[in-house]
């Protein structure tokens, strides 16, 4: 910067600390630093929201840069432009003098240009005998060169954010289309499932999409829509598999035989029962102590055989897809108190906690075993966590679990809506408390 000292505005225009900071910044230009003025201007246009300037102010900055004689801005070639108001107005698309002064003030306040006013407030330059400019008064574009790296970084971040928003919008649009068409085909084909509830949830999610959306707001809706789509696909896939199974059984008239009839299909180790312990009814309140830490796992060998001479039936009830453990813990935080050491870090910890909660809720081992068979051990543990979270809203946890197991075997139950309802309930409670 040419001055090397603090300059103050001419006339009644006040001095501000921001002007002083801009002047100090303009004196920190690295030696030999250069930038293409038009590339830098395009970066400023990209980063306009972050810089706090208006589009009209950028029109004035564009006009000012046309008065700089070279395409590259550098300290060696001078950083002062001194156009008259009349010439600046012409190059600013005929902007009126009052509007011109207002937007010049915006550029100064945003730290993109500096005023270097002459003693009488006019803009001019003094030249030496060789015609070189000795001293000039007007507008300094030194802050543009000093902030070039910052401006380019802001522009790159703005472009990346815009691209991320575009990609998120596209994914959300595809997900909305998928859910709408999947629900439509399920209703048209009368496929078993709670499609009415799923439709209401879908409409509620669509209503949450703001007109002027941010990446954060869209990502939240997209995550929940993704879960809803997975549930719809899960129900439809199980229906298709069940149709194929029924068709195959009808075709072969259930004449398949196991090559080794003495073998057992052990999907999980058998339950460990204490000496003298018998099956407990669903409504028994004291099925086991709360500090019980052993993991009960069901034996599936007896349920994998059909009635024809003990031959194994290769067709089992279709299992639900398990959801991410993080989502389960977000929806059911109370289950954390029953994990090993008061924490749950993996599915095994969750299933161990579910055994303790199962006993505490009075759910019999047989009911829990049937749930593990029909849903899979991960999903059975998830349902136990949901029952715990609902607390006193369920009168008979054992009967409730058996009902969900039967609905799962018929393809009428999905865990996703239950989890998302608990997530929304916990979020609403947090906002109310806050």
């Amino acid at each position: 910067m040419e001055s090397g000292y603090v300059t103050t505005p001419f006339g009644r225009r006040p001095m501000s600390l921001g002007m002083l900071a801009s002047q100090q910044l303009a004196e920190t230009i690295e030696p030999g630093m250069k930038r293409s003025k038009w590339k830098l201007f395009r970066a400023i246009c990209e980063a306009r929201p972050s810089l706090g300037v208006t589009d009209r102010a950028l029109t004035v900055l564009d006009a000012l840069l046309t008065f700089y004689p070279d395409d590259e801005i550098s300290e060696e070639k001078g950083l002062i432009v001194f156009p008259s108001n009349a010439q600046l107005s012409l190059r600013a698309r005929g902007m009126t003098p009052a509007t011109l002064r207002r937007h010049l003030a915006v550029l100064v306040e945003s730290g993109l240009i500096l005023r270097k006013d002459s003693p009488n407030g006019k803009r001019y330059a003094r030249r030496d005998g060789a015609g070189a400019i000795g001293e000039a008064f007007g507008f300094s574009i030194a802050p543009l060169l000093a902030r070039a790296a910052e401006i380019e970084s802001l522009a790159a971040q703005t472009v990346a954010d815009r691209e991320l928003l575009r990609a998120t919008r596209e994914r959300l649009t595809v997900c909305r289309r998928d859910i709408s068409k999947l629900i439509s085909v399920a209703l048209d084909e009368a496929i078993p499932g709670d499609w009415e509830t799923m439709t209401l949830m879908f409409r509620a999610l669509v209503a949450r999409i703001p007109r002027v959306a941010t990446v954060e707001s869209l990502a939240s809706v997209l995550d929940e829509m993704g879960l809803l789509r997975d549930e719809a696909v899960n129900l439809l896939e199980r229906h298709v598999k069940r149709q194929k199974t029924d068709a195959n059984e009808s075709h072969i008239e259930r004449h398949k035989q196991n090559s080794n009839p003495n073998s057992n299909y052990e999907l999980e180790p058998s339950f460990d029962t204490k000496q003298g312990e018998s099956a407990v009814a669903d409504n028994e309140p004291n099925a086991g102590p709360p500090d019980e830490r052993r993991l009960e796992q069901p034996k599936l060998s007896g349920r994998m055989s059909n009635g024809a001479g003990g031959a194994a039936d290769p067709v089992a009830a279709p299992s639900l897809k398990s959801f991410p453990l993080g989502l389960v813990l977000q929806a059911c935080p109370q289950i954390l108190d029953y994990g090993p050491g008061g924490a749950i870090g993996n599915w095994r910890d969750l299933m161990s906690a579910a055994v303790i909660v199962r006993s505490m809720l009075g759910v019999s081992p047989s009911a829990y075993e049937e749930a593990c068979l029909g849903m899979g051990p991960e999903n059975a543990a998830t349902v136990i966590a949901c029952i715990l979270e609902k607390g006193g809203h369920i009168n008979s946890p054992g009967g409730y679990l058996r009902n969900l197991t039967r609905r799962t075997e018929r393809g009428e139950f999905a865990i996703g809506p239950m989890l998302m309802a608990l997530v929304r309930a916990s979020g609403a409670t947090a906002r109310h408390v806050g």
Side-chain angles (χ1 to χ4, degrees), residues 68-139:
Y68 192 79
D70 297 306
D71 287 336
E72 282 191 338
I73 303 174
S74 64
E75 199 170 15
E76 291 78 10
K77 298 177 182 178
L79 297 171
I80 304 293
V81 292
F82 40 90
S84 64
N85 280 341
Q87 291 298 319
L88 186 57
S89 177
L90 286 175
R91 298 197 187 183
R93 279 69 170 170
M95 191 175 291
T96 62
T99 305
L100 192 65
R101 287 193 295 271
R102 186 167 67 253
H103 292 301
L104 283 170
V106 171
L107 292 173
V108 173
E109 290 171 3
S110 62
L112 295 179
I113 63 172
L114 287 174
R115 291 183 184 273
K116 186 183 178 185
D117 290 342
S118 66
N120 61 3
K122 301 294 183 180
R123 302 181 198 125
Y124 58 87
R126 290 199 181 97
R127 301 178 183 273
D128 56 19
I133 295 177
E135 187 172 14
F137 298 96
F139 297 103

Side-chain angles (χ1 to χ4, degrees), residues 346-362:
N346 51 50
W347 280 109
R348 185 174 183 83
D349 292 345
L350 179 64
M351 288 187 283
S352 178
V355 170
I356 297 172
V357 173
R358 188 273 311 158
S359 177
M360 183 184 70
L361 294 175

Side-chain angles (χ1 to χ4, degrees), residues 288-303:
D291 61 343
E292 182 181 0
R293 291 292 174 180
R294 56 190 176 81
L295 178 62
E296 299 180 2
Q297 296 173 320
K299 180 189 291 184
L300 305 189
S301 58
R303 299 182 179 273

Side-chain angles (χ1 to χ4, degrees), residues 191-195 198 231 235 238 242 318 320 403-415:
I191 296 174
D194 195 358
W195 299 106
M198 196 172 293
E231 278 298 317
L235 290 173
R238 285 193 292 149
R242 188 163 53 249
L320 299 173
N403 181 50
L404 294 184
T405 302
R406 288 192 293 268
R407 290 176 57 192
T408 299
E409 293 171 351
R410 295 195 301 265
E412 298 175 356
F413 172 64
I415 297 180

